[in-house]
């Protein structure tokens, strides 16, 4: 009897030791296992700033791990600018982060960096709460390769005090193109240190969408339409504003001496610019530093312009479900955004950047309780029919808007890029009508080339 008891005791001790050993291995395991032990995944994004600084996205990672104790998240600090080159190097070395920010989704697709996340978004009710325009922008054929991580609304902000002091009508959301032009010119008095606009270079990009329901940002709608009257008119409006001295960026040094500030941002904050082009990422700074009454007025007309950042999930990740869960938490997910607002409330050194992605009533109510900008709330109400700023999602956009050489001589440049040629048109050095057909063909060529590279031709 005593012998039998001793054997049972020994077996029990061995079992306990084995259990303790397994528990210990599970706590330190970074690769995960099929029996539910914790896993480690990595993430890279320019939004994390520098290690050690107070940063809302880093705080969100900590909060995610608190909510998901079985998932350990490491920030991959090795991915840095130039971003795409850094990702390409990581891919070549087989060291891609599980989740990573994308500067251009089609580039990631062409290089097979990302996995198709269609099966996850199709089963996700919260993904359905994204505006249709956003879902359409990241759908290629029947597949989705990226997860929206942030959203900003682009447009103009108005210094209401300047207009009221000048006994002028204060511009508001929904103003016409003609009213916009008048608002810029009427408030300008350079000798008194007041200017209508910070810069005019965005006008050729938004003007087509404001002038026609059939066109998008920079005319894009299943191709470019740079030979359209709307694009040419946008360039001409920008040129008129610049040549008439209504934009701070193109004033002479002597004229700039009438203003208080080293750059347009300081001049705006010093109450000397009537209307400023910017994005909702700037609202925190305005709330803290602008000592005047301001509001958001978007672009002329009733269309809202939105721009996004995106996460890709590595095609080589061993933990796709955890990677998707993290990307959603950091981006469009309701729980993550509610936590983001809570953290921003608690930490004075950080502020919300951008607007919510999902159109959830509880999220929106909580957001607009914190961000009291009437014009912005009205603009968000039009978000289902928003115009997408297409740089990060449209094949060939970078070439079509800035980088492609045109073969046109501009000033000292014998072969000016698209961006340089358009800038020269805005400044009056060349006539855009002379080149509209040529640059339209070139833009669509670059679009088709990258469509083919990602297999969508």
């Amino acid at each position: 009897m005593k012998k039998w008891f001793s054997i049972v005791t020994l077996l029990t001790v061995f079992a306990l030791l084995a259990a303790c050993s397994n528990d210990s291995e599970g706590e330190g395991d970074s690769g995960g296992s099929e029996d539910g032990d914790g896993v480690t995944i990595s993430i890279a994004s320019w939004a994390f700033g520098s290690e050690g600084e107070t940063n809302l996205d880093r705080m969100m990672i900590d909060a995610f791990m608190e909510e998901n104790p079985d998932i350990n998240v490491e920030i991959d600090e090795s991915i840095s600018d130039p971003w795409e080159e850094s990702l390409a190097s990581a891919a070549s070395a087989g060291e891609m982060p599980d989740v990573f920010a994308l500067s251009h989704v089609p580039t990631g697709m062409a290089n097979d960096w990302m996995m198709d996340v269609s099966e996850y978004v199709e089963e996700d009710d919260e993904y359905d709460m994204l505006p249709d325009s956003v879902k359409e922008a990241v759908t290629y054929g029947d597949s989705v390769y990226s997860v929206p991580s942030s959203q900003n609304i682009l447009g103009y902000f108005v210094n209401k005090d300047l207009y009221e002091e000048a006994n002028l009508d204060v511009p508001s959301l929904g103003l016409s193109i003609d009213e916009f032009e008048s608002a810029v010119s009427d408030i300008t008095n350079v000798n008194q240190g007041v200017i209508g606009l910070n810069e005019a270079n965005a006008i050729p990009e938004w003007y087509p969408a404001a002038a026609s329901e059939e066109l998008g940002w920079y005319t894009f709608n299943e191709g470019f339409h740079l030979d359209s009257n709307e694009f040419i008119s946008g360039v001409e409006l920008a040129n008129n504003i610049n040549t008439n001295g209504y934009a701070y960026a193109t004033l002479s040094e002597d004229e700039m001496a009438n203003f208080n500030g080293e750059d347009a941002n300081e001049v705006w904050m010093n109450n000397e610019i009537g209307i400023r082009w910017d994005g909702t990422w700037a609202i925190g700074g305005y709330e803290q530093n602008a000592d005047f009454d301001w509001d958001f007025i978007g672009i002329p007309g009733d269309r809202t312009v939105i721009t996004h950042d995106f996460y890709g999930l590595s095609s080589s990740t061993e933990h796709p479900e955890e990677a998707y869960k993290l990307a959603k938490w950091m981006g469009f997910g309701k729980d993550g955004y509610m936590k983001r607002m809570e953290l921003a409330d608690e930490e004075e050194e950080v502020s919300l950047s951008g607007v919510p992605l999902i159109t959830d009533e509880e999220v929106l109510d909580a957001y607009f309780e914190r961000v009291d900008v009437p014009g912005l709330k009205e603009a968000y109400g039009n978000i289902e029919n928003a115009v997408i700023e297409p740089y990060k999602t449209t094949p060939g956009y970078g070439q079509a808007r800035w980088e492609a050489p045109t073969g046109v001589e501009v000033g000292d440049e014998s072969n000016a890029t698209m961006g340089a040629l358009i800038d020269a048109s805005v400044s009056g050095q060349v006539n855009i009508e002379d080149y509209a057909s040529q640059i339209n063909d070139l833009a669509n060529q670059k679009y088709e080339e990258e469509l083919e590279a990602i297999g969508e031709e």
Side-chain angles (χ1 to χ4, degrees), residues 32 44 146-147 194-195 205 219 245 280 291 293 318 382 386 421 456:
S146 60
V147 178
V194 177
I195 193 77
E205 295 174 319
T219 76
T280 48
D291 190 21
D293 192 11
E318 297 179 0
N382 298 327
L421 178 58
E456 292 298 319

Side-chain angles (χ1 to χ4, degrees), residues 223-249:
F224 296 95
H225 307 274
L226 302 180
D227 55 354
S228 63
N229 290 332
E230 289 84 357
F231 180 70
I232 292 170
S233 296
V235 172
E236 290 175 346
L237 174 58
N239 173 249
N240 288 340
I241 287 173
N242 282 335
T243 55
N244 283 297
Y246 301 147
Y248 178 81

